[in-house]
Amino acid sequence: MWPFSKKKTAAAVPPKAPTSHNPDAELAEMYAEAKNAVAWFNDYLGDDNIMGEIRDEKELAAPKSAFVNAFLIVLAMEESAEMRDALLETALLLSHFQPGIGGHPLRMLPVQSPEGVDPARLADLIHSHRGEHERFQAMMPTVFAEMKSMADQYQKSIDIAVSKWG
């Protein structure tokens, strides 16, 4: 089952076959599921700025493609231009989740914030961080290419919303 579903089905009770096909109800359910996925991603990020990091996509609660699809749906249905802008900014952060990174995010700098680190110690940290920094640099073209591809997809959803809501 989709990990963001609010519905829980009992294991012993098989789901009932639908008595009639209701496309409006199915669309409403799909939209609700997409909104739940977007909300999960927003909650996951919280105040954690992942700019300057590349994380493993296994940290996500569902496949990255499911999140991309959720953002596509929510962007297409959003009335507010300001909210679409915020959603787009968040949605593009999915490009910072890549396969094979491992449990520790790749960072541009060896610390999340250099504030409070003795400048002499920071130079030593940066030097010792060289291999991870090179791996980060090698992954960035992939992140940027995926971000551009996502932006192109998301723009189609935004165009749908603009044509519907203005």
Side-chain angles (χ1 to χ4, degrees):
M1 177 175 268
W2 172 253
F4 309 105
S5 178
K6 300 288 185 191
K7 292 193 285 186
K8 302 291 180 202
T9 56
V13 179
K16 295 180 182 178
T19 55
S20 65
H21 182 69
N22 185 346
D24 290 338
E26 290 175 6
L27 286 173
E29 185 175 343
M30 182 175 60
Y31 178 61
E33 293 286 334
K35 284 187 76 158
N36 287 336
V38 168
W40 182 92
F41 190 63
N42 276 319
D43 289 346
Y44 169 82
L45 292 177
D47 293 331
D48 186 8
N49 182 359
I50 68 168
M51 296 307 292
E53 285 188 0
I54 303 171
R55 295 183 182 181
D56 199 298
E57 66 184 10
K58 289 181 181 178
E59 289 190 29
L60 298 171
K64 182 168 48 175
S65 61
F67 283 102
V68 171
N69 289 335
F71 275 101
L72 289 168
I73 292 166
V74 173
L75 281 165
M77 299 299 294
E78 180 54 52
E79 294 180 45
S80 164
E82 293 79 21
M83 183 60 101
R84 287 191 302 264
D85 290 344
L87 285 166
L88 176 61
E89 187 176 314
T90 302
L92 291 173
L93 291 175
L94 285 167
S95 65
H96 288 259
F97 290 82
Q98 296 293 319
I101 300 302
H104 179 72
L106 294 177
R107 292 194 175 112
M108 187 181 325
L109 293 174
V111 292
Q112 283 185 308
S113 172
E115 294 176 22
V117 177
D118 175 28
R121 185 166 178 267
L122 184 59
D124 290 340
L125 278 171
I126 290 172
H127 182 68
S128 67
H129 177 75
R130 185 175 171 182
E132 185 175 333
H133 179 75
E134 288 172 353
R135 188 170 169 222
F136 173 88
Q137 291 294 97
M139 286 294 300
M140 281 311 290
T142 301
V143 169
F144 287 139
E146 189 171 277
M147 187 181 291
K148 181 179 178 345
S149 173
M150 285 178 178
D152 292 343
Q153 290 178 42
Y154 295 143
Q155 187 58 54
K156 291 174 185 173
S157 288
I158 291 169
D159 291 347
I160 292 168
V162 168
S163 70
K164 184 173 183 176
W165 308 111

